[in-house]
Structures are given as C-alpha cells and as structure tokens.
Amino acid sequence: MSYNDCLQDVPDIFENEIGEALAMRTESLGMIRELGPPDLCHIVKIHSSNRTEPDIGSYHHVLGVDTSSSASLAAYINSLQYSLNDKPGWFGPGNNWKIASGTYCTYNAFSKLDLRVQIKIPGGVDAYAINVQGERQDVTEELWTECHVSGILRAILYSDPAEYSVTGLRRLTLAANMREEARVIEALMEQFWHGWRLGSNAETQVASHSRNYLVDGLMAYFAGQGRYNDCAGEILSPLAYAPLGGRQQQADSRSSLDFKGIDPNVAALLAEAYMGGDQEVQGVRVMHQALKAKPSCYSMLYTQAEFLRLKKQHKAACKIALMAVKYAPSEFHAWAKLTEVYIDDNDFQNALLTLNTCPMYTYVDRDYPRVPTPRRINYPVKSEVLEEYNLGDNFTNGNYGSVPMNPRPSADSDAPGAAEEQTQNETSFILRLAAPTLKGTFAHAYKLLSNIVSTIGWDELLQLRSTVFVMEEEYRNSVGPSVAIDDEEDEDDHIPLSALKERRDTVGEDQNPEVIASEVQTSGLNSNGSAIEAADSAKGEETKVDDTKVDEAKVDEAEVDLAGQDEPKDEKQEPEPKEEKQDTNPDQDTSEMDVSESEKKASQVSQPKGKKKNKKSRNKKSKDTLKAQEASKPAIADAETLSDKPPAQDEAEDSQPAETASDTAADVQTMRDVQTNGDLAKDTSIAVLGNKMEDVSLADDDSAAPEPTTVNISGEPIEQTKSDEPAEQAKSDDLPEQNVADDSIEQVAAPQVAARETKSASPEKNQTDQLEVQPESKLANNQDVRKRLCERWLDNLIMILFDDLRTYTNWRTKMHNLRATGQQVVYQFTQAEWEALGDLALRLHRPSEAREAYECALRIRFSAKAWLRLLELHTGKYAAVQAEEVKRNDSVAPPPPLASTDSLMMALDAAVWLAVYNDRWYNNMAYPNPLCNLIIKLVNIHGLSKVHNSLVSMNLKPAVFNMVKGHLEIAEKFEVTGTKW
C-alpha cells in the first residue's frame, strides 16, 4: 500500500507517539559498551493543507554521513524533504506532507556522549550533547572531531550486512573520491593515539595503540582495496617514527637503523602493511628497528612469528611465538598464533595442549539500537527495474520482532510451499547446530580445532585427546573410588595423580594438613633437579610453617618408613626413642648421606604426602603421635643441620665421611632415596616440560641447554663433577631453554632411565604409577607426558565438532544414496538447510561440497548469502583450502583457475545479483563494502579492462549496469592494482 507521508527512497519506521524513539535512545545510553549504534535520524511530518491531520513521527538509521559538524547533519535532514512521495493524486497537484523538524543523533564513542542536532524547517539549528544520565551539555570542537571519527569507524566496521543488520538501516558511501578520503585520513590520524579509549574486539584482552577499534577500521579500509603501500607511507610511517610528535623519519633511510624514537606497537602495523604490499625488505627492516628499541614488544613478536610462519620457518616461528606468549600470557592472539605454528609444524600434541591453555574471553556483541515497537514500516522500491528481480527477504537481526516481508515464491513450481518449508526448518537438526553461534575467541578456537581435524582426521584427534588429557574414568581410578573428586585449585594441583594416591596410602590418614601444605609449597624442581629459584626468592613473602612442625612431620615419616615396611600402610606405628636406634647400629656408614644439597632436598620433598579430602578428619591428630614427635625432636636436629648447609659447604664435606651425622638419620635418608627415586625422576621431567613455555631461547645450537642430572636407583649422582655445579647452575638459570623438539628430549632422558630402573627394583611400590597412561607421542618417542585436565570449553568444542562431522557424514551418505537411485536432490532440504550445509562444508575445509550446497540453495530461490559465498570462491578467498582438498582427495575435481574467463563470468553473475540486492535494501555504500572488496579482487586478477568488457558483454539494463559500474569506478579512482591493464 502506498502512503503519501512516506519517503520514496529511504526506509521509514513510524512511531506510535512522536518522540518515543528519541526517549528510548536516551534511556539506552548507559548500556552502550563499544562504538555505539548507528546514527538515528528522526523527522516530524505535518500536513500543510489539512490542519486536522495529526503530526507523524518517523525515523530511520543511517551509516556513512559526515558527522564533523552540525551543518553537515542539518544538510542531510534537509535533503530528506526532496525524498517525500511527490506522485500527483487524482484531484490534486501532489503531496501535501512536509517535514517540519528533525533530529539527528550520533554517538561519540570517545567521550560516551550522544550528540544531537535539532533543526526546524524553516528555522534554526540547535546542537547539544546528552550524557549517560540524560543531562544536556554543550558541544565543543573536540567533541565534533571525536564524533566524526566514531561515525567513520562505525561505517567501516558495520559495512557487512550479513554481520551487522538493523531494520531500516541506510548505508551511504564514506569517501567517493580522493579529496573526501584525505579528510577521513586526517581525522583518523588526529585521534590515532586516543584509539585505545574505544576498546578492542572480542579477541583482545587489553586495548593498545596497535589493537583497538580505530586500528581495525583503518587497516580494514586499506586492506579491502589492497592499498597497503598507501597505508604504510601516508599514515603508519609518520606515526611510527614520530610517536611523541617529534621529527619524522622514514624506514628506508640508513640513519634510521639506529633511531630509537620508534613506537614498537605502531611499527608492528607498519611491518604488516609493508609485507601486505609485497615490500618484505622494508618490513623486515622495520621489525629490526622495533625489536632493537623494545625486544619484549608483544605486537612486534606476533608480527614476526606470522612472517616466519608464512615463510615456512616453523622452528624459528615457534621460538618467537613462545616469546610472545611469555610477554603477553593473557592475550588470546599470542596463544592462537603459537597453536597455528604447531599445526603447521605437524606438532599436533603441543598444538592441542596450547589450545587448551588459551585464555578465553566472554563475547561482547556489537551495539544495536533499542527502539520501541513501530506502528508500521515502509520499504519503498527505489527503481522499477528492481521489481523484475526475485530478491526475497533482507538480512535482519530481528530486533523489531517479526516484521511481515511477504517473500516471493520460487520460480520452480516443484518447490515446497512456504508453510511446509517453515515447518521443516523448525524441526531441522541441521539448523540447530551450535557451531554457527560461536563468537569471538570460541569461534577462533573452533577454527584451529577444525584445522587439526582436517589434517589428521577425527580418529587421530580422539587418540591424541586421550594421550594428552586425563579421561574421566582414568581420573577417578587415579584418585581412588572412595575419595571425592576435587576440581578446586589448591596447592597439590601440580603433583601427579598417582603421586597423590601413593602419598595418601604411604603417610596415612592422620598426617597434619598444614605440614603437607608447607612441604608441597617447597617441592618444585627445575630441569637440573635442584630446588627452584622461586622458592628461594619467596622465603620472605610466602606463609611459612614453624620449624617444629616440619621436624614433627619428618620424624613421623621416618617412623612410618622404618617401622611399617612389613605392615599395612594404613596402620599407625608407634615411634621408638631415638637413642635406642642409635645403639642398635653404632657402626653404620654415613657416606650415603654425602650428596649434594639439591639431591637431598629433592629426595626429601619429593616423598609423596597423603592429602585427605575430608576436611573434618584432616584437622584431627593423635595425642600419642604428638608425644612421640616431641620426644624425637632433639635427635633429628643433627640430620636437619646437614641438609641446611650451603652448597659450598656440602661440596667441601662430600670428600670426607660425615662423622657427626646420625646413623638413624642416614637410614631414613637411604630409605627415602630408594622409595622416592622414581617419583623424583618423574617430577623432574615434569618440571622440565612445564618450564619450557616460559623460557625460550633464540639460539639455534643445542649447547646452551644444561645437561640433566642422572641418578641411579640408590639416589647417588653418576659421574658428575660437583666443583662446577654452582656456576653451571647459575649460568643455566640465566639462559632460557630450547624449544620442545631440541632440548626437552635430552633433558628428560636421564630421569626417565632412572624412573624405569626404580620401577624394576620395586615393582610393588610403583604399581600405582601405571594409572597414568604414557602413550607414544609424535613429539618424542618414549617420552613421559604428564596428562592435563581438558578445559570444559575445549571439551564442548570437541563435542560441537563431533556434531558437525556427524551431520556432514549423514548428508554425504544421503546424497550418495539419492544419486545412486536416481532421485532428485534439490528439494530434499530447504533453502535454509542448504545454506547451513554450505557453511558446514566450509567449516570442515571442503569448499567443493560447499559450492554444491550453495548452488542447490539458489535453485530454490534467491539467497544473498549463497551468492556472496560463491563470489568468494571465485575470487580466491578459499584458494589455499581448495588446493589442500584436491591434494587430500583425488576424487575431487579441481576448481577452474582464477584467471580463466569462466571463473570471471561466474563471479560477475554473482556480483550483479548482489549489487541489485544491495540497492534494493538501501545499501548505497560503494566502499567499504564486501561486494566492492571482491570486485576489486577481480580487478587485481583479470585487470580493469577485461572486467569492464566482460560486464558489457552481459547485456544488462542500464540501471543494473550502473550499479556494478560504480564499484569499478571506485577501483579506478583510487588506482588499485590492475587498473592500468
């Protein structure tokens, strides 16, 4: 139905009461978290001849309007006066509705204010700002500049209708020529150093100068046209070499090699732009300068790792990515890049472990406008030529609820009806898959997981999962069926599960929990088997337990080890006086106690201690045990004095027998060495594997790695010189370790031998260690890998991937059966299901089958998503994935070459349909636009002349031809690659 009070080429959303949209926008200002919603243009229309007609309030949303001043906004509202329906009536000259007033609202994302310009026709212009509390403020020049930049970024980042769609949204071209683009660039450069105030995307934890919405919009604007060199030379280079407003210096000057006045974060963007513009020498030079200025810059390390990964230098890229993780452990990008490097290097075990360690962030959706329920919505058709195209519905996020669109039926008479198709969609399992709903870091993690599956397969992923992660049944058997599962973080989380169970069985139920906590706190070992440096540096900071409690615990352990060897470990043993034990063995040799301090501490603290989950019983202790410990304190003091001597004193005393040592203490020490040697070796290897993520060496040789300490079954070192041990220990602490493939195998080798020898000497003692399955890994053969608990979100992603694979298998099986029996295939699924199947095939890295699904969806009716995906396939977006698919599966037919004429014509066919669709739904933004980006790629591949001539040969109507030609004119004006031929 046509109304005279509607705009003829702009969507119109009518209010029930005038001004209710403005009131709701004011109320929702406190809920805006990022860049803010699109601009709101509200107008009030009156009837010029009939005063009894009530005034009408309507509004629409808009992106791309120049918001640098109140004059430009007033000019936009005034231009709407010419958009009213001016078709003459039967008995009148024309339309009598006029625009009496209007209000343009635009959000300032820097200052969190909503700037509004209210005009009256005829009349004046009033500009003011509204804060979160709804209070009115004056507008300054600085606020207008910030508002201009905010509008530019919203126009760039909200340019894709498939990702951001609002009912009644109108998009306009941001910069139609070089002069307008120069104003845009000037505004962005002026606010560049304040971009961190805007926040960052969902995959960035902390906004910085290199990761924020302003940088995202700037890079997206130039990347869409492939103008990386313009971005580097005109914007990033002056900003990188003049971070504090000082003198500017270009990267190609030789004197700038030693120039320290460079911002490493901006230099990372500059290096990316140079490499994107095929100027890798300049990019490497910029990275060199930035790393000299600040070697710990996370953004620069990330860029360097990506550069090395693309150059197939996986080992070097892994070391750089490890350093990026070290300097930015809370950033998802660093961990994701390290996972990608491991995947490219076919180190899937470390890839899965690294993916499990990625920090995940809660996804914050983009800001959508909150508006009241409209009275009616008008979607005028701008041109009669568009009526010949069956375009269907528009993208919408459903923020207005269900708006009747009256979709046109399919041209095929065999297609199912709309009611039947809707019923099938409501019960379809394909449309309920969880993978399309993933956002932010979870979507990126799913993509990495699908990369692993596409390379090794689902069965290999399950085997890898059971290798590196503790399964539920295995976890319960390791802890014990009678003990409750404790998922909370505590001080025993770093101890192996078998050691926990063995310690609980060895010490018993009455061990003091405070003593256990104090001994666990000091039980860390580094790669050489000595006490970790963190324990020494934290003596004055960590909570300590009294020495008397430590002595009591050690005596209690000694009595259990000596008196309870032939009896069950659950029974309590009564301690004997210290003097009687000394009389029974007066001539016992104490040379077995003469070991280095590191080995003594390791053998003492690595003895498993029982931890009881019952909180009440842990706080109880027998009175008889307390009395026995009090009686044995003086006797054990001498043995403790030996272990507290510095390393230099121990080295001097190792060559002579320790005559002052207690014989009983030597027995206790010997028994501990024999019993805990296997666990000591295992904990030492675990410590080596745990520290390799923190300490990374860029050296290529293996000589910098410290040699591991090898021990025999008696706990003594084998052929190791002790005179150089402190110096070598200090040197090894200063030097970071090598990565996984080089040094970790050698460092773990000696403890593994000791562990196997100990298990063979006392099989009954180490029987519980078999609960920790140690399968053979691709990282290193026969390497003990301590299993970890799989994060819940990663386990959910694996189940989501399983649902995708199951759906894909059912789909391909059904298609094979239908083709074998000669049945029709298209109408076995609805159009929405075909689109979902196409997305599923792309997620699983099968673009040939995705193309088949999208073509089936188009045979039912028009689909903007299907045309856009086909255009992406014909412009090389999935070229690498297509090559991998052909290489992996010989039965897949290779796609037509990108430079072929057939590929160009199929791409232009999709571009024509999308251009008509965009014009129908008021998307007049020539650039930035996903369609324009893909047309520019066609120009880069085939050249402007060939693309233009092929478009002319299609014999399109002039109106449709001009729609597509507008994107070619953008490529010609900005001189993208391919416009000269």
Side-chain angles (χ1 to χ4, degrees):
M1 182 176 180
S2 177
Y3 297 91
N4 290 332
D5 56 359
C6 300
L7 301 177
Q8 62 180 356
D9 57 355
V10 179
D12 237 355
I13 305 173
F14 290 85
E15 297 177 308
N16 295 307
E17 296 180 2
I18 298 178
E20 60 180 0
L22 295 175
M24 183 165 289
R25 183 180 175 93
T26 303
E27 295 175 359
S28 62
L29 289 178
M31 303 177 62
I32 298 177
R33 292 163 293 187
E34 295 182 343
L35 293 177
D39 300 344
L40 176 66
C41 181
H42 180 273
I43 57 177
V44 177
K45 289 169 281 190
I46 62 174
H47 200 278
S48 58
S49 59
N50 188 2
R51 296 298 182 182
T52 60
E53 287 285 342
D55 297 345
I56 298 176
S58 63
Y59 61 92
H60 64 275
H61 301 95
V62 62
L63 289 173
V65 177
D66 183 10
T67 59
S68 59
S69 63
S70 59
S72 60
L73 301 183
Y76 175 78
I77 296 179
N78 189 42
S79 65
L80 298 178
Q81 181 72 32
Y82 305 98
S83 298
L84 283 174
N85 191 354
D86 55 356
K87 294 181 179 180
W90 289 98
F91 302 101
N95 191 6
N96 293 323
W97 288 95
K98 305 295 181 183
I99 297 178
S101 63
T103 303
Y104 193 96
C105 308
T106 178
Y107 185 73
N108 185 344
F110 290 91
S111 302
K112 310 300 180 184
L113 298 174
D114 194 38
L115 273 66
R116 299 183 180 180
V117 176
Q118 186 175 3
I119 67 170
K120 295 182 180 179
I121 303 175
V125 178
D126 184 17
Y128 57 94
I130 301 294
N131 59 13
V132 178
Q133 291 77 20
E135 301 173 353
R136 184 166 176 167
Q137 298 181 0
D138 295 334
V139 182
T140 62
E141 190 66 26
E142 182 180 0
L143 291 179
W144 279 118
T145 303
E146 295 175 352
C147 189
H148 186 204
V149 176
S150 300
I152 291 172
L153 296 179
R154 282 193 295 267
I156 296 174
L157 299 178
Y158 296 171
S159 61
D160 190 355
E163 295 183 359
Y164 188 88
S165 179
V166 175
T167 303
L169 178 60
R170 182 187 186 190
R171 291 181 169 90
L172 300 177
T173 302
L174 185 63
N177 49 55
M178 297 294 293
R179 182 178 57 84
E180 295 179 359
E181 185 187 72
R183 295 184 65 252
V184 171
I185 294 176
E186 182 181 358
L188 293 176
M189 292 184 65
E190 184 177 354
Q191 296 294 326
F192 182 85
W193 300 109
H194 303 286
W196 59 270
R197 294 164 53 186
L198 298 174
S200 57
N201 54 29
E203 297 182 6
T204 303
Q205 177 73 2
V206 180
S208 62
H209 291 318
S210 61
R211 294 193 179 275
N212 54 67
Y213 281 119
L214 192 149
V215 172
D216 294 344
L218 180 65
M219 299 301 291
Y221 180 84
F222 286 96
Q225 296 177 340
R227 299 165 56 200
Y228 293 100
N229 294 331
D230 295 342
C231 179
E234 298 178 7
I235 300 179
L236 296 178
S237 183
L239 292 172
Y241 289 93
L244 301 179
R247 63 189 180 95
Q248 298 181 3
Q249 192 165 359
Q250 299 296 330
D252 53 358
S253 60
R254 294 185 179 275
S255 60
S256 65
L257 292 176
D258 298 329
F259 178 54
K260 298 297 182 181
I262 182 173
D263 189 282
N265 292 314
V266 185
L269 301 175
L270 180 60
E272 291 180 3
Y274 275 134
M275 289 183 291
D278 200 16
Q279 296 188 21
E280 296 181 352
V281 175
Q282 293 283 46
V284 172
R285 184 177 299 172
V286 170
M287 288 191 290
H288 171 70
Q289 299 173 39
L291 290 175
K292 285 180 61 178
K294 187 178 180 181
S296 61
C297 180
Y298 146 70
S299 301
M300 182 54 66
L301 292 173
Y302 179 90
T303 304
Q304 188 179 7
E306 175 64 13
F307 173 73
L308 293 173
R309 187 185 71 88
L310 295 178
K311 293 297 181 181
K312 308 299 181 182
Q313 301 293 331
H314 302 306
K315 298 299 181 182
C318 182
K319 295 178 182 180
I320 301 300
L322 283 169
M323 293 185 66
V325 168
K326 177 181 179 180
Y327 292 121
S330 62
E331 288 293 339
F332 174 82
H333 288 285
W335 293 94
K337 185 58 60 181
L338 181 59
T339 305
E340 292 180 11
V341 172
Y342 280 138
I343 293 175
D344 293 344
D345 198 23
N346 294 329
D347 190 356
F348 301 108
Q349 175 174 301
N350 276 330
L352 196 59
L353 289 174
T354 306
L355 183 61
N356 187 59
T357 317
C358 289
M360 309 302 290
Y361 314 139
T362 302
Y363 178 73
V364 178
D365 201 1
R366 293 177 176 178
D367 296 313
Y368 287 92
R370 296 180 67 247
V371 292
T373 303
R375 185 178 64 181
R376 74 174 191 268
I377 302 177
N378 181 51
Y379 293 104
V381 179
K382 299 172 58 176
S383 176
E384 295 180 357
V385 70
L386 300 179
E387 297 180 355
E388 300 178 5
Y389 289 84
N390 184 7
L391 299 178
D393 296 345
N394 182 23
F395 288 112
T396 179
N397 65 328
N399 57 335
Y400 291 111
S402 58
V403 179
M405 298 294 297
N406 296 325
R408 300 182 181 183
S410 173
D412 195 343
S413 59
D414 296 334
E420 181 181 354
E421 185 173 351
Q422 183 177 1
T423 303
Q424 185 175 349
N425 290 337
E426 293 176 355
T427 60
S428 174
F429 178 78
I430 301 174
L431 300 180
R432 294 199 304 269
L433 292 175
T437 62
L438 296 175
K439 303 292 183 181
T441 54
F442 297 97
H444 196 163
Y446 177 88
K447 181 179 179 181
L448 296 175
L449 192 63
S450 62
N451 290 341
I452 298 177
V453 173
S454 64
T455 305
I456 64 176
W458 173 254
D459 295 337
E460 186 69 19
L461 176 64
L462 293 182
Q463 183 179 0
L464 187 63
R465 178 192 179 194
S466 62
T467 300
V468 298
F469 295 136
V470 180
M471 298 293 101
E472 181 179 2
E473 182 179 358
E474 184 180 7
Y475 179 73
R476 295 181 182 275
N477 293 338
S478 299
V479 177
S482 61
V483 181
I485 303 299
D486 184 14
D487 292 335
E488 299 180 357
E489 295 183 359
D490 48 33
E491 62 274 8
D492 287 352
D493 286 345
H494 67 284
I495 301 179
L497 300 177
S498 60
L500 288 175
K501 187 175 187 299
E502 182 180 352
R503 188 178 64 181
R504 175 176 58 82
D505 297 338
T506 303
V507 179
E509 302 291 339
D510 293 332
Q511 178 67 31
N512 191 351
E514 297 181 358
V515 178
I516 295 175
S518 65
E519 294 179 352
V520 169
Q521 185 177 357
T522 60
S523 62
L525 298 176
N526 63 4
S527 60
N528 291 327
S530 59
I532 58 174
E533 295 178 357
D536 297 333
S537 62
K539 287 183 179 179
E541 301 176 1
E542 299 291 331
T543 304
K544 298 182 180 179
V545 183
D546 296 339
D547 295 337
T548 57
K549 295 183 179 181
V550 177
D551 295 338
E552 293 171 5
K554 291 180 178 178
V555 173
D556 188 22
E557 295 168 11
E559 298 303 327
V560 171
D561 291 339
L562 292 176
Q565 294 179 7
D566 299 332
E567 298 180 12
K569 296 181 180 180
D570 295 336
E571 298 180 2
K572 303 177 183 178
Q573 300 295 332
E574 197 69 20
E576 298 181 2
K578 182 72 177 180
E579 293 75 14
E580 297 180 3
K581 297 179 181 178
Q582 292 177 353
D583 294 340
T584 55
N585 297 313
D587 299 330
Q588 183 176 356
D589 187 12
T590 60
S591 61
E592 297 177 357
M593 293 288 294
D594 300 336
V595 293
S596 62
E597 179 197 7
S598 61
E599 295 164 358
K600 287 182 179 181
K601 291 184 178 181
S603 61
Q604 291 175 3
V605 302
S606 62
Q607 175 67 25
K609 304 292 186 300
K611 178 180 179 182
K612 190 174 180 181
K613 300 299 179 182
N614 192 341
K615 303 297 181 181
K616 296 182 179 180
S617 61
R618 272 177 29 173
N619 297 328
K620 296 180 181 180
K621 195 166 186 179
S622 174
K623 295 182 179 180
D624 297 337
T625 307
L626 290 174
K627 292 179 181 180
Q629 292 173 353
E630 293 292 339
S632 58
K633 284 180 184 179
I636 201 67
D638 296 337
E640 294 298 322
T641 304
L642 292 176
S643 61
D644 294 335
K645 292 181 181 181
Q649 185 175 355
D650 287 343
E651 293 171 8
E653 294 178 0
D654 280 342
S655 59
Q656 300 177 1
E659 298 179 356
T660 60
S662 171
D663 295 339
T664 303
D667 294 338
V668 172
Q669 187 66 31
T670 304
M671 292 297 300
R672 288 178 178 176
D673 290 342
V674 174
Q675 292 179 354
T676 66
N677 194 25
D679 293 332
L680 169 61
K682 182 185 296 183
D683 294 342
T684 304
S685 62
I686 293 169
V688 172
L689 293 176
N691 292 334
K692 69 185 178 184
M693 295 295 293
E694 301 177 2
D695 300 331
V696 183
S697 175
L698 293 179
D700 293 333
D701 55 345
D702 298 334
S703 59
E707 296 182 358
T709 302
T710 305
V711 295
N712 55 17
I713 58 175
S714 61
E716 298 179 354
I718 299 177
E719 298 297 334
Q720 184 176 7
T721 304
K722 296 185 178 181
S723 58
D724 299 334
E725 183 179 358
E728 294 179 358
Q729 175 67 23
K731 182 178 180 181
S732 64
D733 292 339
D734 294 336
L735 291 176
E737 298 175 359
Q738 288 285 351
N739 194 18
V740 182
D742 296 342
D743 298 332
S744 60
I745 301 177
E746 297 178 3
Q747 293 172 355
V748 180
Q752 285 179 343
V753 175
R756 286 194 292 269
E757 292 176 353
T758 306
K759 290 182 180 180
S760 61
S762 54
E764 298 178 358
K765 173 70 173 57
N766 296 279
Q767 186 176 2
T768 57
D769 291 345
Q770 298 176 0
L771 292 176
E772 288 195 45
V773 182
Q774 307 292 348
E776 183 173 339
S777 170
K778 293 183 178 180
L779 176 65
N781 293 331
N782 299 328
Q783 176 179 341
D784 290 338
V785 179
R786 181 188 175 187
K787 291 189 174 183
R788 304 180 186 178
L789 292 178
C790 182
E791 294 290 342
R792 184 171 300 176
W793 63 265
L794 181 57
D795 190 64
N796 293 337
L797 289 183
I798 294 176
M799 297 306 300
I800 291 174
L801 181 59
F802 170 75
D803 290 339
D804 282 356
L805 291 172
R806 181 178 60 178
T807 305
Y808 170 80
T809 304
N810 295 337
W811 169 41
R812 301 314 301 174
T813 302
K814 185 175 182 179
M815 294 288 291
H816 177 74
N817 295 336
L818 290 175
R819 289 193 175 98
T821 56
Q823 302 182 34
Q824 61 88 17
V825 175
V826 176
Y827 299 112
Q828 295 295 327
F829 301 98
T830 64
Q831 185 192 45
E833 289 178 335
W834 280 118
E835 294 177 359
L837 290 174
D839 296 341
L840 171 63
L842 285 181
R843 289 197 303 269
L844 299 180
H845 301 272
R846 291 167 173 84
S848 62
E849 296 164 357
R851 176 183 175 182
E852 177 187 356
Y854 291 132
E855 290 176 351
C856 291
L858 291 174
R859 290 180 61 183
I860 297 178
R861 68 175 61 87
F862 173 83
S863 171
K865 177 190 288 188
W867 278 121
L868 184 61
R869 294 295 181 267
L870 289 177
L871 182 57
E872 292 174 350
L873 289 171
H874 294 310
T875 52
K877 182 176 181 179
Y878 302 99
V881 182
Q882 289 174 332
E884 290 293 333
E885 183 187 20
V886 173
K887 182 179 179 181
R888 185 174 58 249
N889 191 353
D890 297 337
S891 60
V892 176
L898 295 178
S900 63
T901 305
D902 294 340
S903 178
L904 174 60
M905 297 307 297
M906 288 186 289
L908 286 178
D909 189 18
V912 169
W913 277 96
L914 290 174
V916 174
Y917 176 83
N918 289 340
D919 188 80
R920 168 65 182 90
W921 297 110
Y922 320 106
N923 187 358
N924 300 326
M925 183 181 291
Y927 185 83
N929 189 306
L931 173 60
C932 187
N933 296 342
L934 296 175
I935 292 179
I936 290 177
K937 287 185 178 180
L938 289 177
V939 174
N940 297 335
I941 297 172
H942 303 277
L944 181 61
S945 300
K946 183 177 180 180
V947 174
H948 184 272
N949 295 335
S950 300
L951 185 64
V952 172
S953 65
M954 298 177 69
N955 296 324
L956 302 173
K957 292 186 177 182
V960 179
F961 177 80
N962 292 331
M963 294 177 189
V964 185
K965 184 181 177 182
H967 300 291
L968 297 178
E969 292 176 351
I970 291 291
E972 185 177 5
K973 289 179 181 179
F974 293 101
E975 299 180 356
V976 302
T977 303
T979 55
K980 302 300 182 181
W981 45 281

